[in-house]
Amino acid sequence: MNTAFAEVEEKRKCKRLDFRFPMRYRLLPQSEDFAKPRSSVTGALTRDIGEGGLRFVSERFIPKSTSLLVESSPLSPYWRIKAKVCWIQKIGCNGRYNIGLSFQDGDKEGEKILSLYSK
């Protein structure tokens, strides 16, 4: 058996919805609370979303365990939630990254956000 093609174990606890929509995020320092983000807003495009988090593409490297304030664009159903970077994956040689976030404000908030897109 060729182990190079062995199945990879799924680590996600929640299923993901393949859905692309614009979002914005701000970096949060460890000591600052949810209501007072410190950095400027950066736009991004999500790739998928689930009850536990989302994945987006960024041209900026964001280190693992960084806290973010994530919100939808003003032109879609509005929501805002605190999240933490779980994983980062470089995309080819173009200087872009897939970034996986986990929501930090509980499963109920994630469920509400997901319900906005899964109708």
Side-chain angles (χ1 to χ4, degrees):
M1 179 179 167
N2 187 347
T3 57
F5 294 106
E7 289 187 33
V8 176
E9 179 184 345
E10 180 62 58
K11 294 180 182 178
R12 291 182 180 147
K13 295 177 184 173
C14 306
K15 291 185 178 181
R16 295 282 177 115
L17 176 65
D18 184 15
F19 194 79
R20 288 164 174 73
F21 59 90
M23 59 161 253
R24 302 181 302 189
Y25 67 88
R26 299 175 193 204
L27 300 180
L28 293 174
Q30 301 293 50
S31 62
E32 202 164 17
D33 69 313
F34 179 64
K36 298 177 182 177
R38 71 171 173 144
S39 65
S40 62
V41 175
T42 304
L45 183 65
T46 65
R47 293 294 186 206
D48 57 46
I49 186 168
E51 290 176 13
L54 60 82
R55 173 174 59 120
F56 71 97
V57 174
S58 175
E59 293 181 5
R60 178 180 185 182
F61 176 83
I62 304 172
K64 192 173 175 183
S65 298
T66 300
S67 294
L68 305 173
L69 175 61
V70 181
E71 59 188 351
S72 64
S73 76
L75 302 176
S76 65
Y78 184 76
W79 52 266
R80 181 170 100 156
I81 195 166
K82 188 175 177 182
K84 189 168 274 202
V85 176
C86 304
W87 57 269
I88 307 136
Q89 176 188 46
K90 187 165 179 146
I91 303 172
C93 297
N94 61 10
R96 294 174 32 186
Y97 301 89
N98 275 318
I99 298 178
L101 301 179
S102 63
F103 296 143
Q104 301 297 300
D105 290 340
D107 293 337
K108 293 293 182 194
E109 285 299 311
E111 287 176 25
K112 283 198 284 188
I113 293 169
L114 183 61
S115 72
L116 296 171
Y117 300 100
S118 61
K119 293 179 181 179

